[in-house]
Amino acid sequence: KVVLQGIGETKLKTKVGADGSTTKVNIVAKPREGGTFTRNITLTPSSISLLWEASDSYTPPFYKGKALPPEGGAVRIIAIPSFFSGGKRYDPKSSTYSWSLNTEALGDSSGFGKQVLNSKLNYLENENEFRVIATTLDGTQSADERITIVPTPIKPKIYTYDALFGTHYEKALDGQI
């Protein structure tokens, strides 16, 4: 079906389906001087999900939340790309990854199959933006994603200890020592 036509049209906005689906676009240009130029393009959407965890953080027993990274702490980020070809999903380990932290390329952590990044947060930054660009080996598909991780200030907690009952985690001591 024709979705756009007219003199001087150069841009087309279209919706694509889910990851792995294909949308075919046929372009026909007819210059005033005569002749016809035709181009066929296949659009295949792809995406990346990023999961992260604080590698060297501590949570007290029975804490129900996620461990947050401290200032200068280590984090591990896992990239899970969603690339498809012929209805089959690419193996994430067979893609190439390019990682960066706050616009600085992380060359040692980038490369073929390097979908996991282990890095330390920058002490001097209030926010640490990690970016990854994943590309299939044949270069036909790529996607990029960013995630911002905000370090948590370190606030030590001190608990009382009882020889009979052990550490009283239900209440931390208040005040300064």
Side-chain angles (χ1 to χ4, degrees), residues 1-117:
K1 98 183 186 190
V2 176
V3 293
L4 179 68
Q5 69 180 25
I7 297 172
E9 294 291 345
T10 59
K11 295 181 182 180
L12 168 71
K13 284 187 179 183
T14 186
K15 290 185 178 184
V16 294
D19 288 351
S21 65
T22 58
T23 301
K24 295 186 181 205
V25 179
N26 299 317
I27 303 164
V28 178
K30 297 179 181 179
R32 289 184 189 178
E33 298 81 29
T36 301
F37 298 98
T38 305
R39 180 85 181 234
N40 298 319
I41 300 172
T42 301
L43 304 173
T44 306
S46 57
S47 64
I48 300 178
S49 296
L50 294 178
L51 303 174
W52 69 271
E53 66 180 351
S55 302
D56 62 355
S57 188
Y58 172 79
T59 56
F62 311 112
Y63 179 74
K64 293 184 180 182
K66 182 176 184 171
L68 300 175
E71 296 166 326
V75 293
R76 180 169 50 189
I77 304 171
I78 303 167
I80 304 169
S82 182
F83 297 141
F84 291 86
S85 178
K88 292 185 178 181
R89 188 181 186 121
Y90 274 91
D91 181 6
K93 294 177 183 165
S94 65
S95 295
T96 302
Y97 299 87
S98 177
W99 292 93
S100 64
L101 168 59
N102 298 328
T103 69
E104 180 183 332
L106 301 174
D108 292 343
S109 300
S110 300
F112 175 74
K114 294 191 175 185
Q115 76 179 105
V116 178
L117 171 70

Side-chain angles (χ1 to χ4, degrees), residues 71-171:
E71 296 166 326
V75 293
R76 180 169 50 189
I77 304 171
I78 303 167
I80 304 169
S82 182
F83 297 141
F84 291 86
S85 178
K88 292 185 178 181
R89 188 181 186 121
Y90 274 91
D91 181 6
K93 294 177 183 165
S94 65
S95 295
T96 302
Y97 299 87
S98 177
W99 292 93
S100 64
L101 168 59
N102 298 328
T103 69
E104 180 183 332
L106 301 174
D108 292 343
S109 300
S110 300
F112 175 74
K114 294 191 175 185
Q115 76 179 105
V116 178
L117 171 70
N118 291 301
S119 180
K120 289 206 174 251
L121 300 179
N122 188 333
Y123 277 106
L124 303 175
E125 298 288 337
N126 292 332
E127 296 180 342
N128 293 265
E129 183 184 73
F130 291 91
R131 180 181 183 201
V132 64
I133 301 171
T135 308
T136 56
L137 276 181
D138 59 8
T140 58
Q141 295 183 50
S142 69
D144 72 78
E145 186 63 69
R146 297 167 197 252
I147 187 169
T148 300
I149 299 176
V150 179
T152 304
I154 299 171
K155 296 179 183 175
K157 300 283 185 181
I158 299 175
Y159 302 94
T160 59
Y161 178 80
D162 184 300
L164 184 59
F165 296 108
T167 305
H168 293 277
Y169 289 112
E170 65 276 4
K171 185 169 186 211

